[in-house]
């Protein structure tokens, strides 16, 4: 008796069905993976472009801050009715011609006085923050954009005027040691508790600060007291730079802002 079998055709069809199903799943996986990769690439590209736009906007905002500081300084100079060659004009420029959000008044612009041209120029940094947002996950962080500017003030027949120009970052960086030395002196003066402190006592108070750093040195010029306030004028030296400062210590307060610090014209430190 002859027997026939149909197992071979069934097995062939099953194999083809399995192979076709695997191919379909593989194609689907490739499509899904391709879509995910394309979307991820787009997300990173979009996030990078958006972050770059926010940085560009921050740079524009920093330049506006510099121009606003220049305008505010011109108004203050005009209101004071001062000439370009006086210490008052230099005090105003040092006070107002800088970033109002610098995080402390110890920041010292580099002041250059061109007596022949009757111009006052401060070179100082301005900064602003912007958000950096991740493409997929992670926390949003804030980056700082800092730009160096020269603010030049002069007088003509129409009164005070100002010009704002960009400068290399190195022009502003060289003043950072002076700012750091002033901040160190500010911290030390918070320990001053006697309204009637003498010049020698203040000099002794600042001496350890100077000895702690080879770059810092302090010449105490004057010390005056009124009620609970002690006003100290100091010539601060750091890394070949120097700046005259006026510190006002409120001895009745122990808060972090109990010392007011302000860079002033060099004439105040001439003795």
């Amino acid at each position: 008796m002859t027997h026939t079998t149909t197992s071979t055709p069934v097995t062939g069809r099953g194999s083809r069905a399995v192979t076709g199903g695997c191919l379909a799943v593989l194609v689907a996986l490739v499509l899904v993976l391709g879509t995910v990769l394309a979307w991820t690439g787009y997300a990173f590209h979009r996030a990078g472009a958006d972050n770059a736009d926010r940085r560009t906007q921050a740079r524009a905002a920093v330049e506006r801050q510099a121009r606003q500081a220049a305008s505010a300084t011109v108004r203050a100079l005009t209101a004071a009715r001062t000439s370009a060659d006086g210490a008052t004009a230099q005090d105003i420029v040092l006070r107002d011609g800088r970033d109002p959000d610098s995080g402390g008044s110890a920041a010292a612009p580099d002041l250059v006085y061109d007596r022949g041209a009757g111009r006052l120029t401060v070179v100082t940094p301005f900064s602003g923050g912007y958000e950096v947002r991740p493409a997929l996950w992670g926390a949003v962080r804030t980056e700082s954009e800092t730009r160096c500017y020269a603010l030049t003030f002069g007088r003509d027949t129409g009164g005070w005027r100002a010009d704002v120009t960009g400068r290399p970052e190195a022009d502003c960086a060289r003043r950072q040691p002076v700012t750091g030395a002033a901040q160190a002196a500010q911290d030390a003066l918070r320990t001053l508790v006697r309204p009637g402190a003498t010049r020698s006592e203040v000099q002794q108070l600042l001496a350890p600060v100077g000895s702690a750093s080879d770059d810092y040195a302090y010449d105490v010029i004057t010390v005056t007291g009124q009620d609970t306030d002690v006003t100290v004028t100091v010539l601060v030296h750091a890394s070949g730079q120097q700046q005259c400062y006026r510190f006002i210590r409120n001895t009745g307060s122990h808060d972090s802002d109990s010392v007011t610090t302000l860079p002033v014209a060099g004439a105040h430190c001439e003795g």
Side-chain angles (χ1 to χ4, degrees):
M1 180 179 293
T2 302
H3 296 280
T4 60
T5 179
T6 59
S7 60
T8 300
V10 171
T11 302
R13 288 196 299 271
S15 296
R16 288 193 295 273
V18 170
T19 301
C22 289
L23 287 173
V25 171
L26 181 60
V27 170
L29 287 174
V30 169
L31 289 174
V32 170
L33 181 60
T35 301
V36 170
L37 289 175
W39 180 84
T40 302
Y42 171 78
F44 275 96
H45 171 75
R46 182 68 181 181
D50 288 346
N51 289 331
D53 286 343
R54 280 188 286 272
R55 184 180 184 184
T56 299
Q57 293 170 6
R59 287 184 174 182
V62 168
E63 182 173 346
R64 286 196 298 272
Q65 288 177 7
R67 296 191 180 280
Q68 289 168 359
S71 297
T73 306
V74 166
R75 290 193 296 270
L77 289 167
T78 301
R81 300 180 181 277
T82 183
S83 62
D85 60 353
T88 300
Q90 296 179 47
D91 287 346
I92 292 172
V93 170
L94 286 168
R95 182 193 67 200
D96 296 337
R98 57 181 179 166
D99 191 346
D101 300 321
S102 58
S105 56
D110 188 3
L111 174 63
V112 177
Y113 171 45
D114 186 339
R115 186 179 298 274
R119 285 197 302 262
L120 298 165
T121 300
V122 285
V123 179
T124 184
F126 288 81
S127 62
Y130 66 98
E131 287 186 345
V132 176
R133 299 175 184 174
L136 299 176
W137 57 79
V140 175
R141 70 181 190 275
T142 300
E143 294 281 348
S144 178
E145 182 66 21
T146 301
R147 309 282 283 177
C148 184
Y149 289 97
L151 281 57
T152 302
F153 304 92
R155 292 189 64 130
D156 55 25
T157 55
W160 285 96
R161 67 187 186 283
D163 293 319
V164 178
T165 56
R167 286 286 188 88
E169 296 300 318
D171 288 356
C172 286
R174 66 175 185 161
R175 293 294 285 178
Q176 184 54 45
V178 171
T179 297
Q183 290 172 335
Q186 176 179 278
D187 292 340
L189 288 171
R190 289 196 184 102
T191 64
L192 190 64
V193 295
R194 289 185 58 250
T198 65
R199 178 174 170 273
S200 61
E201 288 173 340
V202 175
Q203 187 72 64
Q204 290 175 8
L205 179 65
L206 295 178
V209 181
S211 62
S213 171
D214 293 337
D215 291 334
Y216 296 174
Y218 305 94
D219 295 328
V220 179
I221 307 302
T222 60
V223 178
T224 58
Q226 183 176 5
D227 297 328
T228 59
D229 288 344
V230 180
T231 301
V232 181
T233 304
V234 181
L235 185 60
V236 176
H237 306 266
S239 299
Q241 300 282 316
Q242 65 180 30
Q243 177 62 51
C244 185
Y245 278 90
R246 180 181 296 124
F247 300 92
I248 302 176
R249 158 68 173 149
N250 179 0
T251 59
S253 173
H254 299 286
D255 296 336
S256 59
D257 59 352
S258 64
V259 179
T260 301
T261 304
L262 194 66
V264 293
H268 299 296
C269 282
E270 291 177 356

